């Protein structure tokens, strides 16, 4: 059934969300990445997510009986076999946040604080910061409130479920020995290099046009990306690709998902926003890139080059400056600080200049206010954000979708952890693709920015694994 829903009746939906009233605590898993991947491979439900949070904590969530999906003009909520729909009034994030905040009233004071998992498409940015007509008509936000949630830490494994059947199913699966191995048919170096080089001529042209815009004074920086569709062949095994890629990468966050129409295996180099239930908020802009390989001496040479390159330093500094301004818009006066500035962080096949800006949320602000201010990450758009979005709409072909957006985990108690979707294998419908971008400034050259996208694609492309024929 379909029922009209106004902003003050989200409690009807939240009241239909079943509590996770069953739980059990098991011993630690020696390899949480492999355990999480095995849970995903078990196909327990039609939708799932693995989310690697800070501190070596992995979360697995499955079950799709309860969900939210926001389009530009409508939002749909599902729970207990019912469907509610209502208009967003052109403010899909506001409607989405209102629905999730209702969980706090119903589940926040008990049930350990209910969690949700989801994604935000890059096109939400056009509604928040630029021209809504560039957002398209597709889904912009999706959240799953799971039927079962597994949290793997260094000293325990906690399983929480809506009923005994889910609890037993997952506990029994965790008790089984690991038997499934990675498929032997991974990609070859030759295929990897052909893949990362696809479409470079068109990309160089887009970089040149963007540089011309910058020199004309239309903007200061834009992160121009290119899409690399995978060639026809056996289907990609997303869980196996995730595990192989996680073994080789050093991400800030990682995720494996099949929810809301997207499949993804990603190794995010940075977070868009991290909000604690205590109101502490932080963001982690990364900008400035050099390759990183197996030779320590060469890595150190490139690290020194990165720290002294005027173009890379300028690109990073303007990103941190804008992150500061966006944090100040939602944080208490005087609370914003740069806790880290221009460190070098290894991220798989590349190394980046990295900073961290922190603050305390204003009393009247919540996690989604911080998300609205900081999304999408400066390092996936540019400076100014509005002008960069307009430039990307001119110079990139088609919509980005999940790329450059966010994958997130949050709680009814007000926490939100959102990873930037970069270094990610994406499946959408029948298409599977990679995508990478580079920060374009007035000093950019098409050749260098093209090579930077190749460096980033090598964080994922060599680790592709394919399902058996």
């Amino acid at each position: 059934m379909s029922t009209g829903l106004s902003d003050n009746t989200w409690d009807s939906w939240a009241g239909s969300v079943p509590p996770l009233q069953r739980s059990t605590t098991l011993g630690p898993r020696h390899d949480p990445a492999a355990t999480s991947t095995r849970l995903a491979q078990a196909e327990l439900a039609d939708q799932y997510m693995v989310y690697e949070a800070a501190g070596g904590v992995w979360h697995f969530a499955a079950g799709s009986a309860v969900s939210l999906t926001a389009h530009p003009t409508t939002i749909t909520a599902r729970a207990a076999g019912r469907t509610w729909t209502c208009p967003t009034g052109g403010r899909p994030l506001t409607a989405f946040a209102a629905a999730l905040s209702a969980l706090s009233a119903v589940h926040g004071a008990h049930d350990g604080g209910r969690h949700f998992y989801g994604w935000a498409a890059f096109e939400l940015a056009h509604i928040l910061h630029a021209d809504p007509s560039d957002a398209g008509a597709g889904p912009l936000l999706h959240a799953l409130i799971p039927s079962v949630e597994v949290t793997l830490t260094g000293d325990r494994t906690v399983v929480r479920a809506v009923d005994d059947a889910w609890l037993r199913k997952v506990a029994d699966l965790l008790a089984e020995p690991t038997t499934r191995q990675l498929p032997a048919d991974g990609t070859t170096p030759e295929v990897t290099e052909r893949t990362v080089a696809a479409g470079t001529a068109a990309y160089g042209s887009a970089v040149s046009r963007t540089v011309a815009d910058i020199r004309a004074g239309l903007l200061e920086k834009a992160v121009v990306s290119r899409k690399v569709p995978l060639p026809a062949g056996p289907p990609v095994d997303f869980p196996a690709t995730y595990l192989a890629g996680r073994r080789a990468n050093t991400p800030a966050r990682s995720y494996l998902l099949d929810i809301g129409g997207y499949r993804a295996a990603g190794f995010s180099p940075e977070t868009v926003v991290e909000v604690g239930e205590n109101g502490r908020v932080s963001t982690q802009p990364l900008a400035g890139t050099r390759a990183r390989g197996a030779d320590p001496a060469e890595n150190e040479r490139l690290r020194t080059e990165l720290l002294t390159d005027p173009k890379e330093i300028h690109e990073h500094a303007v990103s941190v400056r804008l992150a500061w301004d966006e944090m100040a818009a939602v944080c208490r006066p005087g609370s914003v600080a740069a806790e880290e500035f221009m460190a070098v962080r290894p991220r798989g096949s590349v190394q980046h200049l990295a900073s961290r800006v922190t603050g305390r949320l204003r009393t009247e602000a919540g996690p989604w206010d911080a998300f609205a201010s900081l999304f999408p990450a400066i390092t996936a758009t540019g400076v100014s954000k509005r002008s960069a979005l307009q430039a990307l709409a001119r110079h990139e072909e088609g919509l980005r979708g999940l790329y450059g957006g966010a994958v997130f985990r949050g709680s009814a108690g007000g926490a939100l952890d959102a990873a930037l979707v970069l270094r990610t294998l994406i499946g959408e419908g029948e298409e599977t693709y990679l995508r990478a971008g580079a920060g374009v400034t007035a000093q950019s050259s098409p050749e260098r920015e093209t090579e930077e996208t190749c460096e980033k694609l090598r964080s994922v492309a060599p680790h592709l694994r394919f399902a058996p024929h």
Side-chain angles (χ1 to χ4, degrees):
M1 62 177 291
S2 180
T3 308
L5 191 64
S6 62
D7 287 346
N8 62 358
T9 57
W10 285 113
D11 287 348
S12 173
W13 168 75
S16 300
V17 176
L20 295 181
Q21 55 189 356
R22 298 290 184 265
S23 67
T24 186
T25 301
L26 307 172
R29 310 290 109 168
H30 77 280
D31 189 341
T35 300
S36 299
T37 303
R38 184 156 58 95
L39 290 170
Q41 290 171 327
E43 299 180 347
L44 296 169
D46 60 341
Q47 297 194 59
Y48 69 83
M49 183 190 288
V50 172
Y51 191 83
E52 179 190 0
V57 177
W58 264 262
H59 302 280
F60 171 80
S64 59
V66 184
S67 64
L68 280 172
T69 306
H71 289 73
T73 59
T74 60
I75 185 167
T76 301
R78 295 181 176 85
R82 300 174 62 192
T83 300
W84 298 262
T85 60
C86 72
T88 64
R91 302 173 66 190
L93 182 58
T94 300
F96 191 77
L100 289 173
S101 68
L103 287 173
S104 179
V106 176
H107 296 278
H110 62 283
D111 190 29
R114 200 64 198 271
H115 294 102
F116 53 85
Y117 296 75
W119 52 256
F122 181 82
E123 280 63 44
L124 176 63
H126 294 293
I127 291 178
L128 293 174
H129 306 294
D131 185 349
S133 66
D134 289 328
L140 301 175
L141 294 144
H142 181 82
L144 164 74
I145 294 85
S147 301
V148 64
E149 182 177 30
V150 182
T151 298
L152 301 112
T153 66
D155 61 354
R156 70 182 70 181
T157 302
V158 178
V159 184
R160 302 171 66 225
V162 295
D163 56 33
D164 288 330
W166 267 109
L167 192 70
R168 285 195 302 270
K169 186 187 305 184
V170 173
D172 289 347
L173 184 62
L174 289 169
E176 295 176 2
T178 301
T179 56
R180 179 167 178 173
Q181 303 297 316
L182 294 175
D185 48 345
T187 190
T188 65
E190 293 78 11
V191 171
T192 292
E193 290 309 304
R194 286 201 303 270
T195 299
V196 302
T200 53
Y203 180 73
S205 177
V207 170
S208 296
R209 296 194 303 271
T210 305
V211 170
D213 284 352
I214 293 170
R215 292 176 178 173
L218 299 181
L219 70 159
E220 192 170 351
K221 170 190 171 183
V223 181
V224 183
S225 68
R226 62 185 180 96
K227 184 177 182 179
V228 183
L230 297 189
V236 176
D237 186 322
F238 276 78
T241 296
Y242 170 75
L243 187 56
R246 182 60 187 85
R247 298 281 196 239
N249 274 279
T250 49
R253 301 288 187 273
S254 72
Y255 41 81
L256 170 66
L257 61 87
D258 186 347
I259 63 170
Y262 282 109
R263 291 160 288 137
F267 319 100
S268 175
E270 64 184 277
T271 54
V272 178
V273 66
E274 302 163 48
V275 184
E277 293 187 1
N278 61 359
R280 185 181 188 273
V281 58
S282 72
T283 188
Q284 186 187 34
L286 271 67
T289 305
R290 284 294 185 274
R292 178 174 174 267
D295 184 346
E298 177 64 4
N299 290 339
E300 183 59 29
R301 185 190 71 79
L302 291 171
R303 179 181 183 276
T304 301
E305 183 180 286
L306 177 60
L307 285 166
T308 55
D309 187 308
K311 183 264 179 185
E312 304 289 3
I313 293 171
H314 172 74
E315 180 186 345
H316 186 80
V318 296
S319 297
V320 175
R321 182 193 70 203
L322 186 53
W324 184 292
D325 291 343
E326 292 176 342
M327 289 280 287
V330 293
C331 289
R332 300 174 191 175
S335 71
V336 178
E339 291 190 354
E340 179 181 62
F341 182 69
M342 231 168 69
V344 176
R345 290 279 175 267
R347 293 290 185 255
S349 62
V350 294
Q351 48 190 323
H352 292 294
L353 295 178
S355 296
R356 180 173 291 280
V357 183
T358 64
R360 288 278 174 179
L361 283 179
R362 297 175 187 267
T363 304
E364 68 276 14
W368 292 107
D369 296 299
F371 184 86
S373 185
L374 289 157
F375 181 88
I378 300 155
T379 47
T381 49
V383 182
S384 71
K385 190 172 280 188
R386 177 183 176 85
S387 298
L389 287 166
Q390 292 169 338
L392 296 178
R394 291 192 300 271
H395 301 313
E396 290 188 347
E397 183 177 348
L399 302 178
R400 284 187 173 186
L402 191 60
Y403 175 83
V407 170
F408 54 77
R409 177 181 187 265
S411 76
L416 181 64
D417 194 278
L420 173 59
V421 179
L422 300 178
R423 321 294 148 77
T424 298
L425 171 71
I426 299 173
E428 183 180 2
E430 298 299 314
E431 188 176 27
T432 305
Y433 57 91
L434 303 172
R435 192 160 188 153
V440 178
T441 68
Q443 296 81 34
S444 290
S445 70
E447 295 78 16
R448 171 56 203 152
E449 307 310 343
T450 298
E451 178 55 30
E452 183 171 319
T453 64
C454 293
E455 292 167 356
K456 292 171 177 176
L457 289 166
R458 293 185 188 107
S459 287
V460 183
H463 314 299
L464 296 175
R465 296 293 185 270
F466 302 96
H469 287 283

